[in-house]
Amino acid sequence: MLVYGTELRSRLLLGTAQYPSPAVLAEAVRASGAEVVTVSLRREGVAGGGQGFWQLVRDLGVRVLPNTAGCHTVKEAVTTARMAREVFSTPWIKLEVIGEDDTLQPDVFGLVEAARILSAEGFQVFPYTTDDLVVAGRLLDAGCQVLMPWGAPIGSGRGINNPYALRSLRAHFPNVPLVVDAGIGLPSHAAQAMELGYDAVLLNTAVARAGDPVRMARAMARAVEAGRLAFEADPMEARDMAAPSSPVIGMPVFGA
């Protein structure tokens, strides 16, 4: 997968919040094979992770995708992004502008505005958005070169709520890297996203809150790979009626 000129071998991106311990986080990242991890500047500051957490991420040898998680306004998101660029020394930013607290649904109007500001400042923006086609087009016009539509609300584990909408996004933007972000709860959900033709999956809670995060990270990695292979294999279309798998030509027909 090519994003902003960077080639990524792994199609699984992993969040770093809510793990039982830093050691479990590190082991889960290694088990997942992820090359990119998301880090929230605000959450790390509140949790007191500081230099110890940053050193752990450095030791893993992965690329950091800072996150504006917890921001509800354009001003908050832009300011957090600027701080993250200084702290993590990267132009990459996962842009979140939350518009509704219960569902954590993005404020798509603020998202587009913030994306335009940050893109003009040289940021390489990964916008967490809805599965709306019009919003997707506006984000691309604002300078984004990748889109990250939700599968379901953050942390819900509901999987893919609207396969039709995600399939439509894929069809309308065939050359844009698309990453399903949020709502994935099971490996089967991750595989489904990849079977729809998506380029990658970003998840956090499904691994961090599993009884065995390391084993779940490994399962998610395999599911993403399986889903991508299935998509590339050009799977059969679903049928309404049965179709025999064994040939019927040349079979004897017995009369009454």
Side-chain angles (χ1 to χ4, degrees), residues 22 25-26 30 39 44 49-62 64 88:
L25 164 61
R30 294 190 186 99
V39 176
E44 289 312 315
Q51 289 300 317
F53 177 83
W54 184 217
Q55 187 59 50
L56 180 150
V57 172
R58 284 179 183 272
D59 291 343
L60 288 170
V62 293
V64 173
F88 298 110

Side-chain angles (χ1 to χ4, degrees), residues 11-95:
R11 295 178 182 273
L12 176 61
L13 289 67
L14 204 60
T16 56
Q18 305 182 60
Y19 287 82
S21 71
V24 171
L25 164 61
E27 195 174 351
V29 172
R30 294 190 186 99
S32 73
E35 297 173 83
V36 176
V37 299
T38 61
V39 176
S40 170
L41 183 65
R42 283 186 157 203
R43 286 174 183 155
E44 289 312 315
V46 171
Q51 289 300 317
F53 177 83
W54 184 217
Q55 187 59 50
L56 180 150
V57 172
R58 284 179 183 272
D59 291 343
L60 288 170
V62 293
R63 180 180 285 268
V64 173
L65 176 58
N67 190 351
T68 64
C71 294
H72 287 74
T73 67
V74 172
K75 182 177 180 180
E76 278 185 304
V78 170
T79 300
T80 301
R82 290 167 178 163
M83 292 171 60
R85 180 164 59 178
E86 294 300 317
V87 171
F88 298 110
S89 302
T90 177
W92 281 17
I93 191 72
K94 180 189 171 187
L95 181 61

Side-chain angles (χ1 to χ4, degrees), residues 108 112 115-116 133-144 147 173:
V108 295
V112 171
R116 183 173 290 110
L133 284 171
V134 177
V135 174
R138 295 290 188 272
L139 287 167
L140 295 175
D141 292 341
C144 299
L147 298 172
F173 305 106

Side-chain angles (χ1 to χ4, degrees), residues 1 3 15 24 122 140 145 154 157 173 179 183 190 197 200 203 237:
M1 179 176 67
V3 287
V24 171
L140 295 175
Q145 295 181 24
I154 293 172
F173 305 106
V179 181
L203 54 88
E237 295 290 335

